[in-house]
Amino acid sequence: MVLCSTRSFGQLKHIRQLQQSLATIQDSLAYADALAELADYYHYRQWDSVIYYTDKAMRISERHGYERGIAGALTGRGVYYMTRNNYLSSRFNNDALRMYRKMGDSSRVSLLLNNIAINFIFDGNYAKCVDKLYEAERVARAAPSDSSRTIALLNLIDIDSSLTKRQRDSMLILAKRNAEKWKDEIMYNYCLQIEAKRLFDAGGKQEGLDGFRELLADAEKKGNFSFMAFLHHDIGKMILEMGGDSALAMQHFTEGLQISQRQKFFYVTSLLLPEMMHLCEALGDTAKALHFAQQQLAQNTEAVTELQSSGFTYFDYVLNERKLREAQSRQTAQKRTIYLLVLLTIVTGGLLFFLYRSRSQSRKVARIQQELREKSEERTRELEDWDQFHNMLISVMAHDLRAPFSSIITISQLFEMEHDLTPKEIEGMMASLKKTSEDSIRFMEGLLAWISAKRKGGKIRTDSFKIEDVMQEANQFYTMAQQDKDVRLVLDDSLQGQEVYAEKNMLGFICRNILNNATKYAAKGKPILVRAFVDGDQLITAVTNYGKELSAAEIDKIFNPEQKTMATKDGLKGAGIAMIISQDMLARMHGRIWAEREPGIGTTFYFALPRNLSNGATVAV
C-alpha cells in the first residue's frame, strides 16, 4: 500500500473542530489555510471533499495573492488528481514544490517530494520514484515538527526492492519511533500493519490476521475510511491464503468495495474488483464474476472519460505548458524590450569602465600584496635559519671548547704548585700544553670551515684524505681522558689505505665529535673500535664504544633537526647539537651519519663519505 503525503493524523474530531471554526475566522488568509487543512484531512475520508475545499482555498488565496494558500491548494489538487489524471497531478505537485522550496518549508517540501514519487509509480518509473523518496526522507530530517519522514520511510520499505531485510527492519523501527514522537496515530497504525504482514508471511498466519483485524476495528472507530478499505482488501486475501472461508473473504472484499465506491477511492476499487472477480471464478459463480468484470470495465471507462473531460492528457499537458510559456515570454519581452535597451545602453558603458578600472586595481594590489607576502615569508625563514644556526654554534663552542681550556688551566695550576718540577716534567707539560692548543686551533678551524660553507650557500672544496690518519689525529684530542678511564682506540685493519673525499677541517670536526662521545661513554677498560666498510662508491666508517647503549628514542633525538637538545639525565645537550652540526657537514660533503644500538656491547656511530676509488682495498659490507 503506497502512502500519499497529506495530514495523516487527521481524524474525525479534527475535521469537526475545523468546520466549526470556519464560522468564527475573520481573516481571509487564515480562512484559506483552514480550508486547505480540511482538504488534507478529507484525503482519508471523502475524496470529493478534497477538491471541494481545495478549490475554495484556491479562489480566496489567488484573490489576495497569498502564496502559501495557493501552494496548499495546489497540493490538494495534486492529491485529488493522482489516481485520475497523473499528468495533471504531477503539474500541481511540481508547482507547489517550487513554491514551498522558495518559502523554505522543509516539512511541505518533503510531503510534495513523496507525492511526486507516487506520480512516478503511476507512470511506471520506479527508479525515479525511489530517488524522490530518499530525497523526501533526507529533507524531512530537517523538518522542525512533522512525521513526514515516517511516510517516506514506509513507502521505501514497500517500494525499494534493493533493501535487505535488515535495512527494512531498521527503517520500520525508525518510522515507528518517529510516528510515536509526533503522536501520528494513522502512521503508527500503518507501521503496525507492516509488522502484522511480516508476521503473517513468516508463518504466524493467525497472529498476523488478528493484528489486521485489530487495526480494522481501530480504523472504524476513528473514521479512517481509506485505511478501512485497504484493510478489508488485505484481510480477504489473507483469509484465502490461509485456505479459510471464501464467503468470509468475499464479505471483506464487499465491505471494502462499498467503502471505496462510496468515498470515491478509485485506486482501492481498482484493487478489489479483480480480486472479487477471480474469487467468483474460482467458486464457479460466473454470473457474479461477469458482474465484477463489468464494474471494472465501467470504472476504467469512467476514468478515461474524466481524463478527457479534464482537458489534460499527457500530450495536452506538454503542449499547453509550452504554449503558455511562449505566450508569457512574448508578452514580457514586448513590455520590457524598449526599457531594457535604453537602460542597457546607458549603464553598459559606465559599468564596463568601472569593472575594468576596478579589476585592474584589484590585480595590481593583489600582485603587490603577494610579492610583499613572499618577501616577508622568505626573510622570516632566513632569520629563523640564522637564529637557529647561531644558537647551535654558541652551544657547541661552549661544549667542545670546555675540554681543551680545562686542560690548559690544569697544566697552568701545576706550574703554580710550590714543589719543584724536574726539567723533564716541565718539558712534558709544555708539550702537552702545545698539543692541546694546536688541537683547539684545529677545532676552531673546523667550525670556521663550516661557518664559511654556510655563508657561501654550501659551497666547499674537498680533497682526498686517509680516514686512518684523520682518526688518529682526531683522537689525540682525547688521549688524556682515555688514559684516565683506561680506554684505548683500536683501528681495524679494514681502515688501511682507505681514502675519502672531504673538507679536511670538517672531517676532523666530525671525527673528534664522534670520538669525544665514544670516550665519554665508553666503559672503563674497554676499547673504542673503528672499522671501515665499502658500500658502492662510498666508504662507511663505524665507531663502536663498548659502554652506554643509546635507546632508539635517544638516537632519534640526536639526529632530528627539529630537536635542538638531547635532554636526558646524562646531560648530552652540547653533544646533541655538535652531532647535528656534524650531520649538516656530512650532508654538504655528500655524506650521511647514523647510529645503531649494539645490544650487550654499546652504541656504534656510522658515517659515510665518497671514497677515492683509485686507492685502498675493497672490503665488502
Side-chain angles (χ1 to χ4, degrees), residues 563-583:
Q563 183 69 32
K564 305 301 186 300
T565 64
M566 187 176 174
T568 66
K569 64 182 181 180
D570 297 317
L572 301 179
K573 178 177 180 180
I577 296 177
M579 196 61 71
I580 292 174
I581 295 177
S582 299
Q583 187 178 28

Side-chain angles (χ1 to χ4, degrees), residues 104-146:
D105 190 334
S106 56
S107 297
R108 302 301 287 183
V109 168
S110 175
L111 294 176
L112 265 302
L113 286 170
N114 187 85
N115 290 354
I116 292 170
I118 298 175
N119 289 137
F120 280 121
I121 292 179
F122 286 119
D123 199 35
N125 194 333
Y126 282 86
K128 286 190 176 180
C129 168
V130 171
D131 289 343
K132 288 297 179 183
L133 287 175
Y134 277 110
E135 186 181 355
E137 192 273 335
R138 287 193 298 271
V139 172
R141 297 179 194 175
S145 58
D146 204 332

Side-chain angles (χ1 to χ4, degrees), residues 27 36 148 230 244 287 290 303 318 326 334 397 430 518 523 562 611:
D27 183 70
S148 55
F230 273 112
L290 179 60
V318 174
E326 290 174 353
Q334 290 170 357
M397 291 180 67
M430 291 301 295
E562 298 298 324
R611 67 189 182 97

Side-chain angles (χ1 to χ4, degrees), residues 158-259:
D158 189 48
I159 296 169
D160 188 0
S161 58
S162 66
L163 292 174
T164 64
K165 181 180 181 303
R166 184 174 182 179
Q167 289 173 323
R168 293 177 191 275
D169 291 342
S170 298
M171 283 186 172
L172 181 58
I173 292 171
L174 185 58
K176 190 175 179 180
R177 187 182 303 156
N178 200 58
E180 286 181 314
K181 177 180 179 181
W182 303 114
K183 296 180 175 57
D184 192 332
E185 298 176 3
I186 291 183
M187 286 299 107
Y188 184 77
N189 284 345
Y190 281 130
C191 294
L192 296 179
Q193 178 195 12
I194 293 176
E195 290 180 343
K197 186 62 170 65
R198 287 188 172 188
L199 181 61
F200 182 87
D201 293 338
K205 304 290 185 184
Q206 190 58 49
E207 292 85 349
L209 180 60
D210 290 342
F212 269 74
R213 285 172 172 161
E214 290 177 5
L215 290 170
L216 177 59
D218 185 71
E220 290 173 347
K221 179 181 177 182
K222 295 175 180 175
N224 188 344
F225 294 128
S226 175
F227 197 29
M228 289 165 57
F230 273 112
L231 288 172
H232 278 300
H233 168 266
D234 292 343
I235 291 172
K237 289 186 66 175
M238 294 166 76
I239 291 172
L240 293 176
E241 187 176 339
M242 293 172 63
D245 187 357
S246 299
L248 182 58
M250 179 59 77
Q251 179 182 341
H252 279 287
F253 287 151
T254 302
E255 291 183 18
L257 182 63
Q258 291 173 350
I259 295 172

Side-chain angles (χ1 to χ4, degrees), residues 411-448:
I411 294 171
S412 301
Q413 289 175 345
L414 289 174
F415 278 108
E416 295 176 356
M417 294 176 64
E418 295 181 358
H419 60 78
D420 296 328
L421 297 172
T422 65
K424 186 175 181 179
E425 290 175 337
I426 293 173
E427 182 180 354
M429 293 171 63
M430 291 301 295
S432 176
L433 184 62
K434 178 183 178 181
K435 184 66 176 64
T436 301
S437 299
E438 290 174 348
D439 290 340
S440 299
I441 291 173
R442 284 195 294 273
F443 168 80
M444 292 299 300
E445 288 175 346
L447 281 179
L448 290 173

